[in-house]
Amino acid sequence: MSVRDPVPAMSAALKGAQIYFGPFLVTSQVKYPPIPHRKIISLTVHKVFHLTPLSFALVNLKPILPGHVLVSSRRRVPRVADLTAAETSDLFLTVQRVGRMVERVYGASSLNIAVQDGPEAGQSVAHVHAHIIPRKRADLDHRGGIDAVYHLLDGEEGDLRRAFGEGKEGERRPRAKFPAVDNEGRSPRSMEEMEAEAEMLAREMERMEREIVG
Amino acid sequence: MSVRDPVPAMSAALKGAQIYFGPFLVTSQVKYPPIPHRKIISLTVHKVFHLTPLSFALVNLKPILPGHVLVSSRRRVPRVADLTAAETSDLFLTVQRVGRMVERVYGASSLNIAVQDGPEAGQSVAHVHAHIIPRKRADLDHRGGIDAVYHLLDGEEGDLRRAFGEGKEGERRPRAKFPAVDNEGRSPRSMEEMEAEAEMLAREMERMEREIVG
């Protein structure tokens, strides 16, 4: 196969990167491996699993469905219109690549791709980001059908913000009220679970890109 | 201002173009102006209002909210993963430009941008397309809140397909069932209304691009 994407991934740069999603640091120095008497290597796979020159991809605290991830611009701007042409291209080429990968890894057959571009569209973290949600046949029939994903998406947005920062930054954005969503059944994932998924997805992205280049 | 977009718009090419959205022809030769004894000029502003080398934008039969439009790839492929890097960039740069324009023209302050990428994600026309829906504060409070747009989106998708082609092509795609949506209140727009909107949006796109280049 030939190289399709003009912007190469820089997975190696994940180590040591400090990436912010809105006001929230989504990389962190974790000690790995946790083995005594062995050189400690710092990994920064806390939530971010893929990095390009202008974009990054991160896992979710409360995924709506398995493989639900976000792709965000590295520059912290609130609106799609604030992105340069290069940033816009890179963001959606990253959405395309990451979407292909999570669809395969999670055994899905479709994707919901959604950008809440501004507070009146449901955006809660003022930093451009696209949701990618792998879909399978009848995967939400028990929650109300195919479009239940959007109810859950809006619930997730709220959860995401609360999980990252409520009470920490004092930055609050007014957000329109909407009907109560079935969030009670979803409990936040552990740090270990999120890191394990982020590591797995980072490996899958590198593998896929080796295949594309090779 | 400087030129931000690498792919220039080709609004002039709208005249005479034959554009398909899935199996449906969305441009048509209409006679304009309707004045006797005057040279008849063919315009193709039926539903398409903007054209780039790789993408096009079209108005909706039943917009969920004022300014709800679609941006689609000119090549008829079903999935985002089927697009080349150049097509992906062009599609979302067009989404960015068209979104900026409809937000301004319709006096909105946010945008919902959504791609139903595959049938399990709610896609009904097997041709990559992004929905752009201008949002204002409290615009859907009477319909159930901010996320009511997604219920309406899935309804719209079904309506769009029915409006364009039910019973004409015999091409049907299985589509997951979902709860009944309040579509009864939305009646299809007249051809004249759609053409008038497409013409207005084509002018606005040209004006905006002159401003960006100039």
Side-chain angles (χ1 to χ4, degrees):
Chain A
M1 290 174 72
S2 64
V3 180
R4 294 184 63 190
D5 300 311
V7 180
M10 301 199 310
S11 303
L14 267 176
K15 297 187 180 75
Q18 282 217 332
I19 308 286
Y20 282 83
F21 177 53
F24 313 117
L25 183 67
V26 287
T27 47
S28 64
Q29 299 287 326
V30 296
K31 305 302 183 184
Y32 183 86
I35 299 169
H37 310 302
R38 194 165 162 183
K39 192 171 181 290
I40 286 162
I41 302 159
S42 287
L43 282 185
T44 54
V45 288
H46 174 32
K47 299 181 187 81
V48 173
F49 66 88
H50 186 64
L51 201 58
T52 76
L54 301 173
S55 308
F56 65 96
L58 68 163
V59 301
N60 256 333
L61 185 71
K62 287 183 169 190
I64 289 173
L65 286 165
H68 174 195
V69 297
L70 308 175
V71 176
S72 187
S73 59
R74 290 187 63 168
R75 196 161 60 93
R76 180 183 162 184
V77 290
R79 300 295 310 276
V80 170
D82 298 325
L83 299 176
T84 65
E87 286 170 325
T88 303
S89 291
D90 189 73
L91 183 75
F92 287 101
L93 287 168
T94 305
V95 165
Q96 184 189 42
R97 286 201 312 277
V98 169
R100 194 187 287 136
M101 183 274 289
V102 290
E103 182 171 327
R104 188 185 66 183
V105 167
Y106 291 90
S109 50
S110 295
L111 298 170
N112 281 110
I113 300 166
V115 182
Q116 294 157 308
D117 190 30
E120 277 72 55
Q123 184 188 47
S124 57
V125 174
H127 186 158
V128 176
H129 59 287
H131 291 264
I132 305 176
I133 305 167
R135 301 298 305 269
K136 300 178 190 184
R137 191 164 180 76
D139 56 4
L140 288 176
D141 278 5
H142 63 296
R143 310 291 284 269
I146 203 163
D147 69 343
V149 69
Y150 298 115
H151 274 300
L152 297 166
L153 181 64
D154 278 325
E156 172 63 24
E157 279 278 89
D159 285 347
L160 193 65
R161 180 162 184 80
R162 275 200 297 280
F164 278 127
E166 195 178 59
K168 284 182 188 161
E169 288 264 339
E171 184 200 321
R172 296 285 180 93
R173 308 184 83 198
R175 195 157 180 256
K177 289 268 178 281
F178 44 83
V181 168
D182 173 24
N183 277 329
E184 296 72 33
R186 293 187 299 138
S187 48
R189 302 194 292 172
S190 70
M191 195 69 82
E192 290 71 25
E193 189 183 342
M194 290 180 72
E195 285 174 2
E197 187 188 32
E199 279 192 64
M200 182 273 285
L201 294 177
R203 282 194 305 270
E204 289 291 335
M205 278 306 285
E206 286 178 33
R207 198 175 72 166
M208 191 178 79
E209 272 151 14
R210 278 199 307 273
E211 287 168 6
I212 289 171
V213 174
Chain B
M1 289 174 72
S2 62
V3 181
R4 294 185 63 192
D5 301 312
V7 180
M10 302 199 312
S11 302
L14 266 177
K15 298 188 180 73
Q18 282 217 330
I19 308 286
Y20 282 83
F21 177 53
F24 314 118
L25 184 68
V26 286
T27 47
S28 64
Q29 298 288 326
V30 297
K31 306 302 184 185
Y32 183 86
I35 299 169
H37 311 302
R38 194 163 165 186
K39 192 169 180 293
I40 285 163
I41 302 159
S42 286
L43 282 185
T44 55
V45 288
H46 173 34
K47 300 181 185 83
V48 172
F49 66 88
H50 186 63
L51 201 58
T52 76
L54 301 174
S55 309
F56 65 97
L58 68 165
V59 301
N60 256 333
L61 186 71
K62 288 183 168 190
I64 291 172
L65 287 165
H68 173 194
V69 296
L70 308 176
V71 176
S72 187
S73 58
R74 291 188 64 169
R75 196 161 61 92
R76 181 183 163 185
V77 290
R79 299 296 310 277
V80 169
D82 298 325
L83 299 175
T84 64
E87 287 171 326
T88 304
S89 290
D90 189 74
L91 183 77
F92 288 101
L93 287 168
T94 306
V95 166
Q96 185 189 42
R97 286 201 311 275
V98 169
R100 194 187 288 136
M101 184 274 290
V102 292
E103 182 171 327
R104 187 185 66 185
V105 168
Y106 291 89
S109 50
S110 295
L111 298 170
N112 280 110
I113 300 167
V115 182
Q116 294 157 309
D117 190 30
E120 276 72 55
Q123 184 189 46
S124 58
V125 174
H127 186 157
V128 175
H129 59 285
H131 292 263
I132 304 176
I133 306 167
R135 301 297 305 271
K136 300 178 190 183
R137 190 164 181 77
D139 55 4
L140 288 175
D141 278 3
H142 63 296
R143 311 291 282 270
I146 203 164
D147 69 344
V149 70
Y150 298 115
H151 275 298
L152 296 166
L153 180 63
D154 278 325
E156 172 62 22
E157 280 276 89
D159 285 346
L160 193 65
R161 179 162 184 80
R162 275 200 297 281
F164 278 126
E166 194 177 59
K168 283 182 189 161
E169 288 261 338
E171 186 202 320
R172 298 285 181 94
R173 309 184 83 200
R175 196 158 180 255
K177 289 269 178 282
F178 42 82
V181 168
D182 173 25
N183 277 327
E184 296 73 34
R186 292 188 299 142
S187 47
R189 302 194 292 172
S190 72
M191 195 70 81
E192 290 70 26
E193 188 182 342
M194 289 179 73
E195 285 174 2
E197 187 188 31
E199 279 192 64
M200 182 273 284
L201 293 178
R203 282 194 305 272
E204 289 291 336
M205 278 306 285
E206 286 178 34
R207 197 175 71 166
M208 190 178 77
E209 272 153 13
R210 277 199 307 275
E211 289 168 4
I212 289 172
V213 174

